[in-house]
Amino acid sequence: MYVIGERINGMFNVIGDALAAKDKKAVQEMAEKQIVGGADALDINVGTRVPKAERAAAMKWLVDTTREVTHKPLSIDNPSLETVRVGVEAAVKGGKAIINSTTGQQEKLAAFMKLAREFEAGIICLSIDENGVAATAEGKAEIGMRSLAAAMEAGVSVENVYLDPIILPVNCDQKAPGIVLETIRQFKLLSDPAPHIVIGLSNLSQGASERELINRAFLTMAVGAGLDAAIVDSLDTELMDSMIAAEMLLNRTIYSDSFLKAYRQR
Amino acid sequence: MYVIGERINGMFNVIGDALAAKDKKAVQEMAEKQIVGGADALDINVGTRVPKAERAAAMKWLVDTTREVTHKPLSIDNPSLETVRVGVEAAVKGGKAIINSTTGQQEKLAAFMKLAREFEAGIICLSIDENGVAATAEGKAEIGMRSLAAAMEAGVSVENVYLDPIILPVNCDQKAPGIVLETIRQFKLLSDPAPHIVIGLSNLSQGASERELINRAFLTMAVGAGLDAAIVDSLDTELMDSMIAAEMLLNRTIYSDSFLKAYRQR
């Protein structure tokens, strides 16, 4: 699994406050903790507390600050092409960048794919188009196909494409998680080699009780269905343990009596 | 999910000792605890400590003793047709019986299906034939198909058939768990309505470290793949919580803020 740590996000107070106070240490500690927890990459999101006009500058500061302590890929999480470009430019100075994210409207796709090509960046493609979030597995797969075609056209390799079926809170629509699992199975069949598939897990349990249990059970089922990347809280040890065990059971990593430890020490 | 509690088994000391001492209370307490933990049915297995010649009588005692405290279905777990018949006859006096289990050899299948028909019992059909445990999803599906055909021929309804793909310890063959997940998906397609699919979970982690984690992660993936029954330790609260959450996420039960409690109070 490709684990993208979700915690450098202005929506969390520790990062929101760090952004306001330009407190590098808080950000860098969060980066390091997530990597120790098992993150292969770090999501960088300035949140909504920063005024729109200042978000590009805030993104640059957050990326530069994180880059001082790690060469891991950084996932630049913002809907604006301009802000994403600023973040990607900063990120690639010390490692790989991942664009998080584009939606599936033709023009937007073309512009974001061009950016991905320019910086050899990964790119997360959401199952959203002019009609909003696709509600069915077929609708999501159609947008996934369109995203792969746009990548090919722009010269972005399949290895850099991460299809995201989009998870909605289970307490809003209880049919949606099952549809996401079905979509993961369908995404696997869209190309050979199969595209990467990513989910932003925590949204699933927004407002629900038993959040950690819900996240853990769904991630485990999603890994079983073919998921190979996830934006998650890598500080959640039980979540990571379940994911590591699921991968081992799918023969993606080797069993040993210390398989949990072995995974974290890769 | 149809949860069959695994703990009334002579292999566990508390039951082995109870069998030797004819201690009803120990058996009945175990029955009641498992039901409180979420068991819909109870597996009854005399184990191997009892001499072969006395196993049918031991089965009768164990079933009679359990029947004094519950009308839940009892799964009569023994390879011998004679011992199973004695157990089923005792079980149906106070509720339903499940035959656990038949293998897929034609003659054995026919004899066990006849017994299932006679007592309107459920029947667990293992993916084993004259060549041993089928190693591939295709081989397992072929035996599953043969089992369904034998059921139809004997007049046993699909609702009473539980196909078991057989789980082997992950530390013996790490490819096997993934094959079982693939088999579950294939079993679902064998008939309409789909047959029930059951696994005996604990065998997966025999001799492994992190047994509870491994069991939990696999059961969750198996539920996601379409499993609808399992022989498990219903006293393992974390296992049951994961299973309950997985089912809720698949929209098989209704979400509420107290979905765990609601499941247990069904």
Side-chain angles (χ1 to χ4, degrees), chain B residues 218-238:
Chain B
F218 188 79
L219 181 63
T220 308
M221 289 196 288
V223 171
L227 190 81
D228 66 352
I231 304 172
V232 299
D233 180 2
S234 69
L235 305 182
D236 181 341
T237 308
E238 284 192 80

Side-chain angles (χ1 to χ4, degrees), chain A residues 98-164:
Chain A
I98 300 167
I99 294 169
N100 184 11
S101 51
T102 180
T103 54
Q105 294 92 319
Q106 277 319 344
E107 278 186 28
K108 194 165 176 192
L109 258 182
F112 275 86
M113 285 294 172
K114 206 174 146 200
L115 188 67
R117 175 74 182 84
E118 183 179 346
F119 291 95
E120 294 288 335
I123 181 163
I124 295 175
C125 305
L126 306 178
S127 294
I128 295 180
D129 66 7
E130 41 284 358
N131 303 311
V133 175
T136 64
E138 293 66 33
K140 290 173 193 288
E142 201 279 315
I143 298 173
M145 186 97 81
R146 204 190 299 170
S147 305
L148 286 169
M152 203 177 294
E153 193 159 325
V156 173
S157 77
V158 146
E159 284 73 24
N160 271 327
V161 176
Y162 294 80
L163 300 184
D164 182 340

Side-chain angles (χ1 to χ4, degrees), chain B residues 174-190:
Chain B
Q174 225 191 305
K175 287 191 297 297
I179 289 170
V180 168
L181 292 178
E182 176 54 31
T183 305
I184 291 171
R185 290 184 204 108
Q186 293 198 20
F187 275 171
K188 288 314 252 188
L189 308 173
L190 288 184

Side-chain angles (χ1 to χ4, degrees), chain A residues 7-8 15 24-37 39 41-42 44 65-67 69-70 72 74 234-235:
Chain A
R7 298 296 292 261
I8 300 183
I15 301 299
K24 281 187 173 188
K25 194 151 163 272
V27 173
Q28 292 173 342
E29 279 179 3
M30 186 56 83
E32 284 162 344
K33 274 200 296 187
Q34 290 184 92
I35 292 167
V36 169
L42 301 175
I44 311 285
T65 300
T66 308
R67 265 287 169 256
V69 296
T70 181
K72 296 265 186 199
L74 300 183
S234 68
L235 305 181

Side-chain angles (χ1 to χ4, degrees), chain B residues 114-137:
Chain B
K114 205 175 145 199
L115 188 67
R117 176 74 182 83
E118 183 180 346
F119 292 95
E120 294 289 333
I123 181 163
I124 295 176
C125 305
L126 306 177
S127 295
I128 295 181
D129 65 7
E130 40 285 358
N131 303 310
V133 175
T136 63

Side-chain angles (χ1 to χ4, degrees), chain A residues 180-203:
Chain A
V180 167
L181 292 178
E182 175 55 30
T183 304
I184 291 171
R185 291 185 204 108
Q186 293 199 18
F187 275 170
K188 288 314 252 186
L189 307 173
L190 288 184
S191 69
D192 184 17
H196 296 296
I197 304 169
V198 70
I199 56 172
L201 181 65
S202 301
N203 197 34

